[in-house]
Amino acid sequence: MKRLSLITILFLSVMSCKGQEHKNTTQKKDTLIPPKKSLYYIPNVNPDFETFDFEKSREETLKIPSKAAALKNSEAKERGYSYEGKLDENRSIHRSFFEIIDKNKKFVIKPGEYHPLEIIYYKNSPFIIQKIFYPNGNIKEKGLRIVKGNMYKGIWYYFDEKGKLIKTIDNDKLFSFSWEQIEKFMEENKIPMPIGSFDVPGKHHLGGFLHYSILNLPKKKPHKAL
């Protein structure tokens, strides 16, 4: 019965993934490769203070004709800047932020869920480095998460608005299983591993993590992705 349930879960997951890929035709396709015995590259995240590069984000966005035209609209009450670029042979970057008109009729950085965002993708990794910044440009939080889904990995670093490190969370300790066990599960069940870049990270789940978590519920509640 348990085996039948697992097969059903795997089948539904595969069909769901195919449906997602069909609908998101404008997004870059993930690189899908079968899991191997060796681990995929897992990026390191440093605890250092850093700031968001607003100037670079504006310059790169204005190089995109369709976005530049929208930004030149004098009647707009909100402006969005976003671009993707290549850092080197193995890494690419996504940056985005939004501005709104304030009471003084000036554009200011939009707060709340639209905090300035930076994501670094790796060519041979199922993980990305995600960084969220305060409206003043100072780092708010950063750490690893999977390319698709709400699973955070390793230590996440949290800062106050002045840039002081105030908290860390070791997400690996929140689960009753390890990433290596997820990899093994995916390999044994021939589940492909999504790696590489994505235009804008969505709420699509990494198959192996879902399947393994369904069968082995974590002892503690996982850290929820933003």
Side-chain angles (χ1 to χ4, degrees):
M1 183 67 180
K2 183 177 180 181
R3 181 177 179 81
L4 179 59
S5 298
L6 176 58
I7 292 174
T8 302
I9 293 169
L10 290 172
F11 175 76
L12 291 175
S13 176
V14 170
M15 293 303 294
S16 174
C17 289
K18 287 184 177 179
Q20 299 265 4
E21 289 175 3
H22 178 70
K23 292 177 182 178
N24 295 295
T25 55
T26 59
Q27 295 175 331
K28 296 177 181 177
K29 292 182 179 180
D30 288 350
T31 303
L32 296 177
I33 62 175
K36 300 178 180 179
K37 292 183 179 179
S38 59
L39 294 177
Y40 296 98
Y41 178 67
I42 300 179
N44 286 322
V45 181
N46 67 61
D48 299 341
F49 167 78
E50 56 186 291
T51 58
F52 187 81
D53 196 334
F54 290 105
E55 183 177 354
K56 178 73 171 177
S57 300
R58 288 190 178 95
E59 290 177 354
E60 294 298 325
T61 301
L62 289 171
K63 292 178 182 179
I64 305 171
S66 60
K67 294 184 178 181
L71 291 170
K72 291 178 181 178
N73 181 359
S74 59
E75 297 182 359
K77 296 182 179 180
E78 181 175 313
R79 300 189 300 204
Y81 296 84
S82 65
Y83 80 97
E84 283 193 353
K86 192 174 182 180
L87 294 175
D88 53 42
E89 290 302 316
N90 297 312
R91 299 179 303 155
S92 59
I93 189 170
H94 165 90
R95 286 196 182 106
S96 63
F97 73 96
F98 292 85
E99 294 178 328
I100 57 173
I101 290 285
D102 67 3
K103 60 182 180 181
N104 297 316
K105 305 297 182 180
K106 294 182 178 180
F107 276 102
V108 296
I109 305 301
K110 189 173 184 178
E113 62 179 305
Y114 297 99
H115 279 303
L117 173 70
E118 179 179 302
I119 295 175
I120 299 177
Y121 301 96
Y122 291 80
K123 188 176 181 180
N124 190 38
S125 179
F127 294 101
I128 60 176
I129 294 180
Q130 177 174 292
K131 304 175 184 179
I132 298 175
F133 299 80
Y134 289 104
N136 65 7
N138 290 343
I139 187 68
K140 182 176 186 287
E141 60 184 77
K142 58 180 172 178
L144 290 180
R145 62 176 291 175
I146 58 176
V147 172
K148 286 188 174 184
N150 62 351
M151 179 183 176
Y152 283 32
K153 177 173 175 56
I155 298 176
W156 269 70
Y157 302 94
Y158 298 85
F159 303 77
D160 63 18
E161 289 192 66
K162 295 181 179 179
K164 180 182 178 182
L165 181 63
I166 55 174
K167 181 175 68 173
T168 61
I169 294 179
D170 188 345
N171 292 275
D172 292 346
K173 294 182 178 180
L174 301 180
F175 296 92
S176 60
F177 49 87
S178 68
W179 171 252
E180 288 70 28
Q181 287 175 296
I182 295 175
E183 271 198 331
K184 182 179 179 182
F185 180 86
M186 293 179 73
E187 181 176 10
E188 290 174 347
N189 290 278
K190 295 181 172 56
I191 303 171
M193 178 74 74
I195 64 172
S197 64
F198 212 44
D199 279 341
V200 177
K203 299 292 184 178
H204 308 293
H205 297 278
L206 181 59
F209 170 66
L210 271 185
H211 304 325
Y212 201 93
S213 62
I214 289 171
L215 298 177
N216 301 270
L217 295 177
K219 295 177 181 177
K220 299 179 181 179
K221 185 177 180 180
H223 182 64
K224 186 179 180 181
L226 295 177

